Amino acid sequence: MALVQLESWMALAPTLLLALSALALFVIDSIDPDTTNRPLLAGTATVGSLASLAVAVWFITTGVGDPARRGELALFGDQLIVDQMALFFMVIVAVVTALISIASYDYLRGHVYQSEYYSLVLLAATGMSTMATANSLVTVFIALELASLPSYALVSILKDNRGSVEAGLKYFLIGALSSAIFVYGISLVYGATGHLQLEAVAENVGAEGFDGLLGVGVLMVIGGVAYKTASVPFHFWAPEAYEGAPAPIAAFLSSASKAAGFVIAFRIFTTAFPLEAMTEIGFDWTMAFVVLAIVTMTVGNFAAATQENVKRMLAYSSVGHAGYALIGLAGLAVDGGQIVLAAAMMHLFVYGFMNTGAFLFVAMAEYWGVGRTFEDYNGLSSQAPVACGALAVFMFSLAGVPPFGGFFSKYFLFTGILETASGNPWLLAVAAALVINSALSLYYYARLVKAVWFEDPVAGRGQLTQPTGLYVAVVLAGVMTVLVLPGFGPVADAAYAAASALGP
Amino acid sequence: MTVAVEYYVLLSAALFCIGLFGVLTRKNALMFLMSVEIMLNAANINLIAFSFYHGNLTGQVFALFTMALAAAEVAIGLGIILVLYRNFEGIDVTVPAAMRW
């Protein structure tokens, strides 16, 4: 059927393309270190991420990773695996990277470190894409650091801006601490099982007799994952880092980095710590995720409701959405729960568009220099109706109002929990928390829409320009958030296939 | 006569706690970095001791990776501490506190 037989390592092409374009940017930078050729730099980054996206989608449609068609590809002695979930998350990372690259074209006007910025973005994206394929605690940790280290530099890339430096410092300090906790957790898991490859860990759970160590190790691994996904108890960095970082970077971290954090969480906990064996040694980790999910969504949404600063509101809302996605792990059971896992993946997919779009609107507002609070955004719609229309789409989709993508993913989450709740009554509390928090979130999302569309414009605001790149990115994200509606079938199918192949 | 693996775990747990204590109490950004390094090295002790205990090399190899990554992390950290010094005339991590919830 295939015209050419590809080598198995070619399955990593989406990741390799991101790495190659990062290296291409290094080459451009070394030929002309002072280049401010923005079209060339932004274009290279965009083409690279779009190529990665195209290859990942092509792989999904031709059945790479599908056990029934071409099969999952385990590479390098099972250290990396390309299955449907890996490809699904590679798509999310590539989409967000492409949107960020397009938007940064305008945002970085007059910035000194252009090529450094784009190559760091692509290196971080390479790390996130590798996280999707990592199948051993070693590769998980290395990929996680590859995603984190460029992110620290990106957050503090506005070197003369005290806010950016403060954000970068806080992000780095908490990141360094949590990665130390994560690697200590890994060392304890290794001690208790004697292996680092995920399937081998699963086979040896409880076999060596260090069950206590294993329990502590799993808790520490949860801590490391919570940091990457900005969940309680390691969510403190999120509002600071997002507020101080350049807005496209905030979009990148809150969408792609969060999705990458979830893919390692899904893979580690479904593959390495099978519920059956873990329950036998008395450590049922779904309970931990039930608590984390409820606390995370409540903290995120209540804190978001009290914010005056738009970017900070979005940052806390992103913590809240991490809580929704954690339901995917809370809802797993020994004999099922893939529906919830698939719904969480769908939510992360839709979230990639709507949240990136919302942060890019903030990027546009920063580009205009209109200010940061809700009041500063008053009446923007009279001057920029298209962008504000897209903003309304993002907000209602984030809140989960029916016609948009965000509603469907939340609906699947909700029905999924109810379906599996018979096995674990605590899930009813999760379902209740999901509904209450969604209702609350409508308040602060609608508040932004009201400020932009219904309030009188601020007096004395100058003419607003029309930055092409930012507009293209925001409108693309808006169109995709709406288009997910008719296209939800394939997305849902892909997520279900990915989740059931994973299976607990 | 070899030392039982439990003692290695005890040692690494002690180091980990010392590092964590430093992270929580120190205000100097460099001391913070050193404390994190101690925590990472606590993990390395575990990995190497258990590698010996289990009789496979996975843990030792991973310890090498951890060291390399720790070095990379310090490089980024020092860069951030440098811009911190330029912007705030000091490296006290409690000084930059413009953003609060």
Side-chain angles (χ1 to χ4, degrees):
Chain A
M1 192 172 93
L3 291 175
V4 279
Q5 181 64 44
L6 298 177
E7 297 284 335
S8 62
W9 61 265
M10 295 282 275
L12 289 176
T15 311
L16 294 175
L17 281 167
L18 289 172
L20 273 181
S21 36
L23 294 177
L25 283 161
F26 275 129
V27 171
I28 294 172
D29 188 40
S30 59
I31 293 171
D32 183 4
D34 299 323
T35 183
T36 47
N37 187 345
R38 286 157 53 226
L40 174 67
L41 296 169
T44 312
T46 311
V47 168
S49 41
L50 285 179
S52 162
L53 170 67
V55 174
V57 171
W58 177 52
F59 281 173
I60 290 180
T61 49
T62 50
V64 175
D66 186 346
R69 290 159 78 191
R70 279 163 201 271
E72 297 168 356
L73 289 160
L75 300 158
F76 308 115
D78 289 349
Q79 299 297 301
L80 295 178
I81 186 166
V82 180
D83 60 359
Q84 282 161 309
M85 183 170 80
L87 290 169
F88 188 82
F89 279 89
M90 280 175 178
V91 168
I92 300 180
V93 170
V95 163
V96 175
T97 314
L99 288 175
I100 300 306
S101 308
I102 298 172
S104 300
Y105 169 72
D106 290 309
Y107 192 86
L108 284 188
R109 203 180 52 172
H111 194 274
V112 189
Y113 305 103
Q114 301 268 347
S115 49
E116 289 87 344
Y117 174 92
Y118 289 110
S119 44
L120 285 172
V121 165
L122 283 167
L123 281 176
T126 310
M128 293 166 196
S129 202
T130 317
M131 279 160 89
T133 58
N135 195 35
S136 150
L137 290 171
V138 184
T139 39
V140 163
F141 184 64
I142 294 172
L144 186 132
E145 289 291 299
L146 177 57
S148 294
L149 296 179
S151 308
Y152 302 146
L154 281 170
V155 168
S156 47
I157 201 162
L158 308 174
K159 287 177 17 180
D160 301 325
N161 178 323
R162 290 177 77 137
S164 174
V165 172
E166 180 183 340
L169 177 75
K170 287 179 176 170
Y171 187 31
F172 171 73
L173 293 182
I174 301 180
L177 174 64
S178 75
S179 72
I181 293 177
F182 188 56
V183 76
Y184 196 79
I186 291 176
S187 78
L188 290 180
V189 171
Y190 173 69
T193 60
H195 292 275
L196 286 167
Q197 202 273 332
L198 298 183
E199 278 97 11
V201 170
E203 282 162 23
N204 287 287
V205 164
E208 302 272 351
F210 292 112
D211 294 348
L213 280 191
L214 183 64
V216 177
V218 171
L219 274 183
M220 287 180 152
V221 168
I222 292 180
V225 163
Y227 160 74
K228 203 69 199 151
T229 57
S231 318
V232 173
F234 284 103
H235 67 287
F236 300 102
W237 61 272
E240 267 84 2
Y242 296 170
E243 190 186 344
I249 297 306
F252 188 53
L253 293 183
S254 62
S255 309
S257 186
K258 190 185 293 280
F262 273 109
V263 70
I264 58 168
F266 293 162
R267 193 172 312 273
I268 292 178
F269 283 95
T270 53
T271 312
F273 305 129
L275 267 177
E276 213 164 337
M278 291 301 281
T279 319
E280 252 168 52
I281 63 166
F283 190 85
D284 181 1
W285 47 258
T286 53
M287 213 45 229
F289 283 108
V290 166
V291 175
L292 277 190
I294 295 178
V295 175
T296 304
M297 58 179 129
T298 313
V299 166
N301 281 302
F302 273 81
T306 61
Q307 299 301 321
E308 282 304 315
N309 181 320
V310 175
K311 219 168 162 189
R312 231 174 148 72
M313 179 277 277
L314 283 176
Y316 276 112
S317 105
S318 132
V319 173
H321 279 272
Y324 301 146
L326 278 177
I327 295 176
L329 283 171
L332 281 180
V334 173
D335 53 349
Q338 284 95 337
I339 307 173
V340 195
L341 192 59
M345 288 188 204
M346 277 181 247
H347 191 67
L348 288 168
F349 181 81
V350 181
Y351 187 71
F353 289 107
M354 57 193 182
N355 184 59
T356 310
F359 270 106
L360 290 183
F361 184 86
V362 176
M364 207 185 303
E366 285 181 2
Y367 178 86
W368 289 328
V370 295
R372 291 173 158 247
T373 62
F374 282 90
E375 281 77 33
D376 293 328
Y377 280 47
N378 279 356
L380 274 179
S381 62
S382 57
Q383 286 166 294
V386 177
C388 291
L391 179 73
V393 170
F394 300 141
M395 287 301 124
F396 286 127
S397 183
L398 280 168
V401 172
F404 302 111
F407 165 74
F408 285 94
S409 53
K410 268 190 196 165
Y411 175 76
F412 282 124
L413 267 178
F414 184 67
T415 50
I417 312 169
L418 290 188
E419 212 162 299
T420 46
S422 55
N424 184 353
W426 283 100
L427 288 177
L428 290 176
V430 178
L434 173 65
V435 172
I436 294 169
N437 279 303
S438 297
L440 172 70
S441 71
L442 187 58
Y443 157 72
Y444 58 81
Y445 290 130
R447 195 173 151 217
L448 184 56
V449 176
K450 174 169 163 280
V452 167
W453 280 95
F454 296 110
E455 299 288 345
D456 293 326
V458 180
R461 185 187 290 146
Q463 195 65 37
L464 299 183
T465 49
Q466 309 267 324
T468 326
L470 276 168
Y471 253 91
V472 168
V474 167
V475 170
L476 260 181
V479 168
M480 287 309 295
T481 311
V482 178
L483 272 192
V484 158
L485 180 62
F488 216 81
V491 175
D493 290 345
Y496 276 124
S500 49
L502 208 59
Chain B
M1 167 87 193
T2 51
V3 181
V5 72
E6 285 82 0
Y7 293 103
Y8 287 106
V9 178
L10 216 59
L11 171 67
S12 82
L15 268 185
F16 185 83
C17 292
I18 292 170
L20 191 62
F21 180 76
V23 165
L24 295 176
T25 55
R26 292 293 183 159
K27 287 182 174 177
N28 185 315
L30 289 174
M31 295 304 273
F32 192 104
L33 263 188
M34 290 178 204
S35 306
V36 170
E37 289 298 304
I38 293 180
M39 293 171 75
L40 286 170
N41 282 321
N44 282 345
I45 292 180
N46 258 352
L47 286 168
I48 292 166
F50 277 113
S51 179
F52 184 65
Y53 175 79
H54 291 299
N56 62 33
L57 285 176
T58 323
Q60 290 196 24
V61 175
F62 187 40
L64 288 174
F65 277 109
T66 315
M67 282 185 225
L69 285 170
E73 201 165 78
V74 167
I76 294 270
L78 287 178
I80 291 176
I81 292 174
L82 194 65
V83 286
L84 177 77
Y85 181 75
R86 287 192 186 143
N87 279 280
F88 293 89
E89 277 87 42
I91 51 170
D92 187 336
V93 293
T94 55
V95 169
M99 292 178 280
R100 288 278 175 181
W101 59 337

